[in-house]
Amino acid sequence: NAGVMQNPRHLVRRRGQEARLRCSPMKGHSHVYWYRQLPEEGLKFMVYLQKENIIDESGMPKERFSAEFPKEGPSILRIQQVVRGDSAAYFCASSPPTYNEQFFGPGTRLTVL
Amino acid sequence: AQSVTQLGSHVSVSEGALVLLRCNYSSSVPPYLFWYVQYPNQGLQLLLKYTSAATLVKGINGFEAEFKKSETSFHLTKPSAHMSDAAEYFCAVTSNTGGFKTIFGAGTRLFVKA
């Protein structure tokens, strides 16, 4: 059973461009969570999604950030018009419907030039 | 609201010495508690978890943690540090309050001296 997959692992964007981060949860997991880790800091919750639904987006910046988890395909975290402050590691985690723990992907490291 | 406090952003021990990483939490409902380890430029690996069963939880790599409700603590220990234990450690709390949002502590970086 493959673990949580994230791609790309590294992403470089110039200011003003769009960044798309993808997360494929573990097989059988219908819950996805996105976290952001700024350099030398802990992980900050961004958003919690189930298939086709956003359950909790209390950690998402109000502008430029959006997330989706469609019926088919990976979850996408989209950052529009990136700025240097968006440079961070973005981690995705998934869990099964009967929650017990979250399984983390390897992360996508976004660098904004 | 949930929160996690990790006391000490940096802890340094000698190889073979006891490792103690402190974590205190607050939660309005019974929590799930976790310890994760992160090596440089890698993702998070689960060390151990507390989910309302035994209060003393044993994890991987010789780590264990004890849930103390009266102290709202979940400290991580290892009897004898190894050089390979040098990493960042995160305590986390989750509870079902309409969603399983996980709150992470700021992390403790463990240094192991030869």
Side-chain angles (χ1 to χ4, degrees), chain A residues 78-92:
Chain A
R78 182 182 178 204
I79 311 172
Q80 296 178 288
Q81 299 175 333
V82 296
V83 301
R84 287 212 174 116
D86 296 333
S87 295
Y90 292 82
F91 290 95
C92 167

PDB file of all heavy atoms in Angstrom, chain A residues 78-92:
ATOM      1  N   ARG A  78      -3.832  25.250  -4.360  1.00  0.00           N
ATOM      2  CA  ARG A  78      -3.507  26.220  -5.398  1.00  0.00           C
ATOM      3  C   ARG A  78      -3.177  27.559  -4.752  1.00  0.00           C
ATOM      4  O   ARG A  78      -3.935  28.046  -3.897  1.00  0.00           O
ATOM      5  CB  ARG A  78      -4.697  26.363  -6.339  1.00  0.00           C
ATOM      6  CG  ARG A  78      -4.497  27.301  -7.499  1.00  0.00           C
ATOM      7  CD  ARG A  78      -5.792  27.367  -8.298  1.00  0.00           C
ATOM      8  NE  ARG A  78      -5.720  28.288  -9.416  1.00  0.00           N
ATOM      9  CZ  ARG A  78      -6.770  28.862  -9.973  1.00  0.00           C
ATOM     10  NH1 ARG A  78      -7.980  28.610  -9.521  1.00  0.00           N
ATOM     11  NH2 ARG A  78      -6.620  29.673 -10.988  1.00  0.00           N
ATOM     12  N   ILE A  79      -2.065  28.121  -5.160  1.00  0.00           N
ATOM     13  CA  ILE A  79      -1.664  29.435  -4.666  1.00  0.00           C
ATOM     14  C   ILE A  79      -1.512  30.341  -5.878  1.00  0.00           C
ATOM     15  O   ILE A  79      -0.659  30.122  -6.750  1.00  0.00           O
ATOM     16  CB  ILE A  79      -0.331  29.378  -3.894  1.00  0.00           C
ATOM     17  CG1 ILE A  79      -0.337  28.257  -2.845  1.00  0.00           C
ATOM     18  CG2 ILE A  79      -0.078  30.729  -3.206  1.00  0.00           C
ATOM     19  CD1 ILE A  79       1.004  28.022  -2.179  1.00  0.00           C
ATOM     20  N   GLN A  80      -2.340  31.344  -5.932  1.00  0.00           N
ATOM     21  CA  GLN A  80      -2.286  32.285  -7.041  1.00  0.00           C
ATOM     22  C   GLN A  80      -1.382  33.467  -6.701  1.00  0.00           C
ATOM     23  O   GLN A  80      -1.256  33.855  -5.533  1.00  0.00           O
ATOM     24  CB  GLN A  80      -3.694  32.795  -7.365  1.00  0.00           C
ATOM     25  CG  GLN A  80      -4.635  31.708  -7.856  1.00  0.00           C
ATOM     26  CD  GLN A  80      -6.029  32.248  -8.123  1.00  0.00           C
ATOM     27  OE1 GLN A  80      -6.758  32.554  -7.199  1.00  0.00           O
ATOM     28  NE2 GLN A  80      -6.395  32.352  -9.384  1.00  0.00           N
ATOM     29  N   GLN A  81      -0.749  34.012  -7.710  1.00  0.00           N
ATOM     30  CA  GLN A  81       0.074  35.220  -7.561  1.00  0.00           C
ATOM     31  C   GLN A  81       1.017  35.101  -6.366  1.00  0.00           C
ATOM     32  O   GLN A  81       0.966  35.906  -5.433  1.00  0.00           O
ATOM     33  CB  GLN A  81      -0.837  36.447  -7.429  1.00  0.00           C
ATOM     34  CG  GLN A  81      -1.725  36.655  -8.638  1.00  0.00           C
ATOM     35  CD  GLN A  81      -2.712  37.814  -8.444  1.00  0.00           C
ATOM     36  OE1 GLN A  81      -3.084  38.126  -7.321  1.00  0.00           O
ATOM     37  NE2 GLN A  81      -3.093  38.439  -9.543  1.00  0.00           N
ATOM     38  N   VAL A  82       1.860  34.103  -6.422  1.00  0.00           N
ATOM     39  CA  VAL A  82       2.725  33.808  -5.283  1.00  0.00           C
ATOM     40  C   VAL A  82       3.619  34.992  -4.945  1.00  0.00           C
ATOM     41  O   VAL A  82       4.024  35.775  -5.808  1.00  0.00           O
ATOM     42  CB  VAL A  82       3.577  32.547  -5.534  1.00  0.00           C
ATOM     43  CG1 VAL A  82       2.693  31.315  -5.666  1.00  0.00           C
ATOM     44  CG2 VAL A  82       4.494  32.709  -6.740  1.00  0.00           C
ATOM     45  N   VAL A  83       3.919  35.082  -3.653  1.00  0.00           N
ATOM     46  CA  VAL A  83       4.847  36.087  -3.131  1.00  0.00           C
ATOM     47  C   VAL A  83       5.948  35.347  -2.382  1.00  0.00           C
ATOM     48  O   VAL A  83       5.823  34.162  -2.074  1.00  0.00           O
ATOM     49  CB  VAL A  83       4.130  37.083  -2.203  1.00  0.00           C
ATOM     50  CG1 VAL A  83       3.010  37.797  -2.950  1.00  0.00           C
ATOM     51  CG2 VAL A  83       3.565  36.383  -0.974  1.00  0.00           C
ATOM     52  N   ARG A  84       7.026  36.085  -2.068  1.00  0.00           N
ATOM     53  CA  ARG A  84       8.182  35.437  -1.439  1.00  0.00           C
ATOM     54  C   ARG A  84       7.802  34.798  -0.113  1.00  0.00           C
ATOM     55  O   ARG A  84       8.345  33.767   0.273  1.00  0.00           O
ATOM     56  CB  ARG A  84       9.308  36.444  -1.252  1.00  0.00           C
ATOM     57  CG  ARG A  84       9.983  36.806  -2.555  1.00  0.00           C
ATOM     58  CD  ARG A  84      11.446  37.108  -2.359  1.00  0.00           C
ATOM     59  NE  ARG A  84      12.088  37.313  -3.653  1.00  0.00           N
ATOM     60  CZ  ARG A  84      12.631  38.448  -4.049  1.00  0.00           C
ATOM     61  NH1 ARG A  84      12.614  39.503  -3.252  1.00  0.00           N
ATOM     62  NH2 ARG A  84      13.203  38.538  -5.229  1.00  0.00           N
ATOM     63  N   GLY A  85       6.855  35.395   0.593  1.00  0.00           N
ATOM     64  CA  GLY A  85       6.428  34.854   1.879  1.00  0.00           C
ATOM     65  C   GLY A  85       5.714  33.521   1.785  1.00  0.00           C
ATOM     66  O   GLY A  85       5.494  32.864   2.815  1.00  0.00           O
ATOM     67  N   ASP A  86       5.366  33.100   0.569  1.00  0.00           N
ATOM     68  CA  ASP A  86       4.735  31.788   0.396  1.00  0.00           C
ATOM     69  C   ASP A  86       5.770  30.669   0.370  1.00  0.00           C
ATOM     70  O   ASP A  86       5.398  29.487   0.398  1.00  0.00           O
ATOM     71  CB  ASP A  86       3.938  31.750  -0.915  1.00  0.00           C
ATOM     72  CG  ASP A  86       2.785  32.731  -0.923  1.00  0.00           C
ATOM     73  OD1 ASP A  86       2.258  33.058   0.168  1.00  0.00           O
ATOM     74  OD2 ASP A  86       2.393  33.191  -2.026  1.00  0.00           O
ATOM     75  N   SER A  87       7.037  31.015   0.296  1.00  0.00           N
ATOM     76  CA  SER A  87       8.095  30.004   0.296  1.00  0.00           C
ATOM     77  C   SER A  87       8.028  29.208   1.597  1.00  0.00           C
ATOM     78  O   SER A  87       8.132  29.761   2.685  1.00  0.00           O
ATOM     79  CB  SER A  87       9.466  30.661   0.155  1.00  0.00           C
ATOM     80  OG  SER A  87       9.601  31.301  -1.099  1.00  0.00           O
ATOM     81  N   ALA A  88       7.845  27.914   1.460  1.00  0.00           N
ATOM     82  CA  ALA A  88       7.662  27.055   2.634  1.00  0.00           C
ATOM     83  C   ALA A  88       7.595  25.613   2.154  1.00  0.00           C
ATOM     84  O   ALA A  88       7.592  25.333   0.950  1.00  0.00           O
ATOM     85  CB  ALA A  88       6.369  27.407   3.372  1.00  0.00           C
ATOM     86  N   ALA A  89       7.528  24.716   3.134  1.00  0.00           N
ATOM     87  CA  ALA A  89       7.231  23.320   2.824  1.00  0.00           C
ATOM     88  C   ALA A  89       5.749  23.097   3.079  1.00  0.00           C
ATOM     89  O   ALA A  89       5.229  23.497   4.123  1.00  0.00           O
ATOM     90  CB  ALA A  89       8.068  22.392   3.683  1.00  0.00           C
ATOM     91  N   TYR A  90       5.099  22.482   2.133  1.00  0.00           N
ATOM     92  CA  TYR A  90       3.663  22.215   2.247  1.00  0.00           C
ATOM     93  C   TYR A  90       3.473  20.707   2.354  1.00  0.00           C
ATOM     94  O   TYR A  90       3.878  19.952   1.474  1.00  0.00           O
ATOM     95  CB  TYR A  90       2.904  22.774   1.047  1.00  0.00           C
ATOM     96  CG  TYR A  90       2.912  24.286   1.015  1.00  0.00           C
ATOM     97  CD1 TYR A  90       4.002  24.980   0.491  1.00  0.00           C
ATOM     98  CD2 TYR A  90       1.854  25.016   1.534  1.00  0.00           C
ATOM     99  CE1 TYR A  90       4.033  26.375   0.485  1.00  0.00           C
ATOM    100  CE2 TYR A  90       1.868  26.409   1.530  1.00  0.00           C
ATOM    101  CZ  TYR A  90       2.964  27.073   1.008  1.00  0.00           C
ATOM    102  OH  TYR A  90       2.983  28.445   1.016  1.00  0.00           O
ATOM    103  N   PHE A  91       2.858  20.300   3.454  1.00  0.00           N
ATOM    104  CA  PHE A  91       2.660  18.889   3.706  1.00  0.00           C
ATOM    105  C   PHE A  91       1.182  18.532   3.603  1.00  0.00           C
ATOM    106  O   PHE A  91       0.299  19.276   4.055  1.00  0.00           O
ATOM    107  CB  PHE A  91       3.168  18.507   5.097  1.00  0.00           C
ATOM    108  CG  PHE A  91       4.659  18.552   5.225  1.00  0.00           C
ATOM    109  CD1 PHE A  91       5.292  19.677   5.709  1.00  0.00           C
ATOM    110  CD2 PHE A  91       5.430  17.462   4.834  1.00  0.00           C
ATOM    111  CE1 PHE A  91       6.679  19.738   5.810  1.00  0.00           C
ATOM    112  CE2 PHE A  91       6.814  17.507   4.928  1.00  0.00           C
ATOM    113  CZ  PHE A  91       7.434  18.643   5.418  1.00  0.00           C
ATOM    114  N   CYS A  92       0.965  17.388   3.042  1.00  0.00           N
ATOM    115  CA  CYS A  92      -0.369  16.821   2.961  1.00  0.00           C
ATOM    116  C   CYS A  92      -0.403  15.593   3.863  1.00  0.00           C
ATOM    117  O   CYS A  92       0.601  14.882   3.998  1.00  0.00           O
ATOM    118  CB  CYS A  92      -0.647  16.440   1.502  1.00  0.00           C
ATOM    119  SG  CYS A  92      -2.071  15.401   1.248  1.00  0.00           S
TER     120      CYS A  92
END
